[in-house]
DNA sequence: ATGATAATGATATCGCTTCTCATATTCATT
DNA sequence: AATGAATATGAGAAGCGATATCATTATCAT
């Protein structure tokens, strides 16, 4: 039950938190910004204050329920934290996001950090490019 | 001569542009934000408008004179574009930045992009952690 | 049901960046 | 060197994502 999920994280089971968690678990879209969530809830006639959404996202991240990502478009997007860490391939044109896990890269990162004596806490890797669909669309234009 | 550098890029050799380029080439600090540049120029009694600095940085980047980076602290930093591409290791505590080049990672990224059919345009990789100096400082406290 | 504790939401504010537009500078041409 | 068309500058406003404030409301152990 969702209630328990929240309580295990030390968070009261409030309506806003349940709505937001539900949205993520419904999973129509994988990576959601605060604004995305706000708009989706408005459509469902479930309006929450934007401030609440920002707060809840921060709390969910601290509780490791969700993971925060920054795809260089000026805002943060969040996704449910299920399964192992992954990185992202992002289309410059349409915003499509693919996910990947690459142990070679992960290992090399650890080696780099070690070489500099850093105790690694996190990393952020995005590959930007043009997705197949957008490639074929530009061909048609020219 | 710096004038020619700018003209080759199709940019008029104006005072603001020369001052900013000079700051980068002096190289006291490697990664500079717009605000950093503004403050440094104020100290040198060479005040420019902040708007101009932002504009010039955008132009320099478009002209490939400088490279833009985002270290997840909410603003962009720029560095002179000399030599090959590199990525960054960033200290969460003090902000120290080390640079590295890792062909294994670069190659794996190309493979990932290929696997998804993306035509790669850029990537962004930062490793975050605690630098050696900050590690020893936390030891002393506890 | 009650009340202490914590959460919400409207709004103000923040920090970084971009936009606007009147003024000033650059630079090719005389 | 002076002229003028084209371009750049800078002060301030505005944009935008995110955070802070604070009076009101909801939660949940008792
Ligand atoms: Zn695309
Ligand atoms: Zn993801
Ligand atoms: Zn440090
Ligand atoms: Zn660098």
């Amino acid at each position: 039950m969702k209630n328990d999920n929240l309580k295990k994280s030390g968070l009261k089971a409030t309506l806003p938190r349940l709505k937001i968690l539900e949205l993520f678990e419904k999973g129509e879209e994988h990576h959601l910004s605060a604004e995305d969530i706000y708009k989706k809830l408005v459509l469902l006639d479930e309006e929450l204050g934007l401030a609440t959404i920002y707060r809840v996202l921060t709390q969910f991240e601290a509780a490791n329920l969700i993971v925060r990502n920054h795809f260089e478009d000026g805002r943060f997007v969040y996704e449910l934290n299920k399964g192992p860490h992954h990185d992202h391939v992002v289309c410059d044109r349409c915003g499509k996001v693919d996910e990947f896990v690459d142990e070679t890269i992960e290992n090399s990162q650890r080696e780099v950090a070690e070489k500099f004596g850093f105790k690694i806490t996190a990393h952020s890797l995005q590959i930007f490019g043009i997705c197949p669909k957008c490639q074929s669309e530009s061909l048609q234009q020219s």
Side-chain angles (χ1 to χ4, degrees), chain A:
Chain A
M1 193 190 190
K2 250 161 264 165
N3 271 9
D4 303 328
N5 255 326
L6 290 173
K7 289 195 181 159
K8 254 181 277 175
S9 307
L11 296 168
K12 281 188 186 172
T14 64
L15 240 55
R17 302 214 256 241
L18 289 169
K19 302 280 182 208
I20 294 173
L21 197 50
E22 196 175 348
L23 240 199
F24 276 113
E25 290 181 338
K26 198 158 53 175
E28 299 179 353
E29 277 183 61
H30 203 69
H31 302 94
L32 292 168
S33 69
E35 192 73 28
D36 290 340
I37 292 171
Y38 185 72
K39 285 181 187 152
K40 275 183 181 288
L41 291 175
V42 168
L43 286 182
L44 299 171
D45 283 318
E46 312 263 28
E47 305 198 25
L48 309 187
L50 240 188
T52 303
I53 296 176
Y54 276 105
R55 254 181 329 229
V56 169
L57 288 173
T58 302
Q59 296 157 346
F60 280 9
E61 197 206 356
N64 282 313
L65 293 172
I66 59 177
V67 174
R68 190 172 81 156
N69 281 106
H70 191 117
F71 295 158
E72 204 108 340
D73 60 346
R75 73 238 164 95
F76 290 102
V77 295
Y78 296 83
E79 64 186 303
L80 224 44
N81 178 21
K82 49 181 171 187
H85 161 79
H86 60 263
D87 293 302
H88 299 94
V89 186
V90 183
C91 178
D92 287 332
R93 206 152 297 167
C94 70
K96 178 184 198 300
V97 176
D98 278 318
E99 304 186 330
F100 69 92
V101 176
D102 186 308
E103 273 310 322
T104 305
I105 293 178
E106 301 291 328
N107 284 329
S108 296
Q109 286 178 11
R110 283 189 275 270
E111 283 168 24
V112 169
E114 198 172 340
K115 177 176 149 202
F116 287 106
F118 271 65
K119 201 165 88 190
I120 200 167
T121 55
H123 72 262
S124 165
L125 167 57
Q126 297 85 227
I127 300 174
F128 297 100
I130 311 295
C131 75
K133 185 155 154 288
C134 288
Q135 283 175 50
S136 57
E137 281 172 12
S138 3
L139 279 182
Q140 287 165 12
Q141 289 180 343
S142 54

